[in-house]
């Protein structure tokens, strides 16, 4: 029989026993700092990828004829929208620390 005032081993509220009971509490981790993300560089790489995709679709006839005639326009739209994003971030509204 166990005493009703002390919880049984393994029961909720029971004090840990064994090697875990001898350890002191772990120190608190340092405050996390946000990572610096170079947004302008990321957008510029994306713009370059859209330009390369446009050149590939224009140089390979199978990629811009027939049912795929809209593919070059998708690349143009991606480049233009990326340019708007680049201008937005460049002005300091998207990531003020990257604005020049």
């Amino acid at each position: 029989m166990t005493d009703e005032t002390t919880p049984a081993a393994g029961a909720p509220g029971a004090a840990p026993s064994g090697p875990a009971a001898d350890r002191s509490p772990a120190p608190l981790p340092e405050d996390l700092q946000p990572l610096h993300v170079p947004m302008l560089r990321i957008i510029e790489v994306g713009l370059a990828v859209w330009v390369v995709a446009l050149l590939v679709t224009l140089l390979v006839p199978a990629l811009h004829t027939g049912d795929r005639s809209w593919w070059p326009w998708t690349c143009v739209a991606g480049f233009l929208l990326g340019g708007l994003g680049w201008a937005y971030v460049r002005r300091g509204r998207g990531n003020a620390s990257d604005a020049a």
Side-chain angles (χ1 to χ4, degrees), residues 33-87:
Q33 298 297 322
L35 294 174
H36 174 72
V37 179
M39 289 305 300
L40 281 174
R41 179 66 57 198
I42 292 171
I43 294 171
E44 289 165 354
V45 168
L47 289 171
V49 169
W50 279 118
V51 169
V52 169
L54 178 61
L55 291 174
V56 169
T57 56
L58 291 176
L59 293 175
V60 178
L63 295 179
H64 67 269
T65 57
D67 289 340
R68 297 179 181 159
S69 62
W70 55 272
W71 283 22
W73 294 110
T74 302
C75 298
V76 170
F79 181 78
L80 291 177
L81 291 173
L84 288 174
W86 181 83

Side-chain angles (χ1 to χ4, degrees), residues 36-39 88-89 92-99:
H36 174 72
V37 179
M39 289 305 300
Y88 183 79
V89 172
R93 294 187 177 170
N95 191 352
S97 65
D98 278 350

